[in-house]
Amino acid sequence: MPMPGRKAAIVGVYTSEQARAMPRTAWSLEVECIKGALADAGLTHADVDGLVSMSFNPSLLLLMQWAEQLGGRPVSFIDIGSGAGGAAKAAAAIATGQANVAVIFFANAGYRLGPQGSAGQPGAPRLADMSFMIQGAYMSPWYAMWTRRYLHQFKVPPEYLAEYPVIARHHATLNPGSVMGSRGEITVEDVLNSRMVADPLHLLECPLDNDGGYAFVVASEEIARDCKKAPIWILGGSEAVYTDFYMSITRDWISDKAQAVRRSADIAFGMAGVSRDEMDVLGLYDCFPITVARDLEEMGFCKLGEGAHYIHEGHLRLGGKTPANTDGGLLSHSHNGNPSGFQVIEVARQLRGECGARQVAGARLGVALSQGFAVHGLGATLVMAAD
C-alpha cells in the first residue's frame, strides 16, 4: 500500500546511556527510553495506541504487558521489527487510521552476544556446540569471509575498508553519548595493527557489544503539528526479507541477485518521490566495514564493487557528499544487541538540527537503513524529511 506523503512523522526520540555491563535491567531501560521519547515529543503514555517492540524474544504477551504498563487500555496497532521497518509500518498504520501515536523501542542489559552469551552442553549430544554462536566467534567469521571475498573479487586494498572505522571514530569523538568517542581519534594504521579477530578483520573493524536503549515516537500529522518539536516527516519506508540466515556463502553472494536491502530501498525511495542524490545525511547499518560498502551498493549510492572506493573517496565523512553515521555508528557509538533504531534517531536529530559539533549543515533529507543477516537477509529503509 502506498504511504501518503507527510501523513506521519517522528516527533520524539531518546537514547539512554550506552555502556558496558550497566547495573540495570532491560525493562527499566525500556521504561526510561519510552518516557524520554514521549517527553521529547510533549506527549504522555496516555497518548500511545501503537507499539513496535524489537525485543530479542518478541511476543504477543510481551506487547500485552506493555499495553498494561501504558495505562491498561487497548492498543490498536502492534508489531515487531527493526528500527526503520518498525517506523515504516507504524507510519502506514497511522496513515490508514489504525493508530495515532506509536512507540518503537528496544533496550538491552546483561545479554552478551556471541560465545560469551552461550553455554556449552556438559555432555553428549553436543551438536549445539558446533554452531557459530559458541565456536565461531558469532558474526565475525561470516563477515570475515565476505570481506575476503569482496577484497579479492573487486581487487580492493584492505586500507580502503579500514578507513571506515577511522571515520566512525571521528564522528564518535563529536558525540558525548558514544561509547568510544572519549578514547579519541584512530588512524588506518591503528585499525590494521589492532589484534586479528577473524582474518582479515581486526578488532577495530568489529562492532561494539554493550548495554543501552532507545525509543522514538511516530505520530499522525494532526498530532505532530502540536508536538514540542518540529516533526520529521516519513516520506517512504519498506521492509524486505530473503534468506533465513548467513548461509549464503555461494558463488553469487556478491551479485545483483535477491538482496533484501536493495528491494526495501527501491520501494522506499519510490514511495518518497526523491532520489539518492538528494540525500543530505545517511544512517547506514555498519556492523563491519564490508557491511557499509555493500549497503552503499545495494541502496544505489554506487555500483556493485564500488562501495569501498566510495568510502575511500571521503563521501561518508562530515563535509562529504553523503555524511553517514554521524553518531559514530555501531563501531564507535553503540551496538546494544539490536541497534537498528539508532540510525533512525540520528538521522532524525540531524534533520532537526540538534547534533551540535557533528551537525550536517542544512540537512533537509535523510535515509536510515536497518539491516540484519547481511544485505540479502533483512533490510528496511526509511526516507525522512525536515518540516
Side-chain angles (χ1 to χ4, degrees), residues 119-193:
Q121 296 294 324
R126 301 186 64 174
L127 295 178
D129 290 17
M130 300 301 293
S131 74
F132 72 97
M133 280 291 285
I134 295 176
Q135 302 293 354
Y138 199 46
M139 306 298 182
S140 302
W142 298 101
Y143 284 94
M145 286 189 282
W146 292 330
T147 300
R148 179 65 71 194
R149 174 66 178 269
Y150 187 91
L151 295 174
H152 170 76
Q153 184 170 334
F154 300 110
K155 297 181 172 51
V156 173
E159 291 80 5
Y160 282 20
L161 290 179
E163 289 180 38
Y164 179 73
V166 177
I167 296 169
R169 179 63 67 84
H170 172 66
H171 292 170
T173 65
L174 305 175
N175 176 13
S178 70
V179 173
M180 300 298 290
S182 62
R183 300 196 182 189
E185 306 273 0
I186 57 175
T187 66
V188 170
E189 290 73 23
D190 292 331
V191 174
L192 296 178
N193 289 329

Side-chain angles (χ1 to χ4, degrees), residues 8 10 79 120 183 191 223 337:
I10 295 171
D79 213 321
R183 300 196 182 189
V191 174
I223 291 174

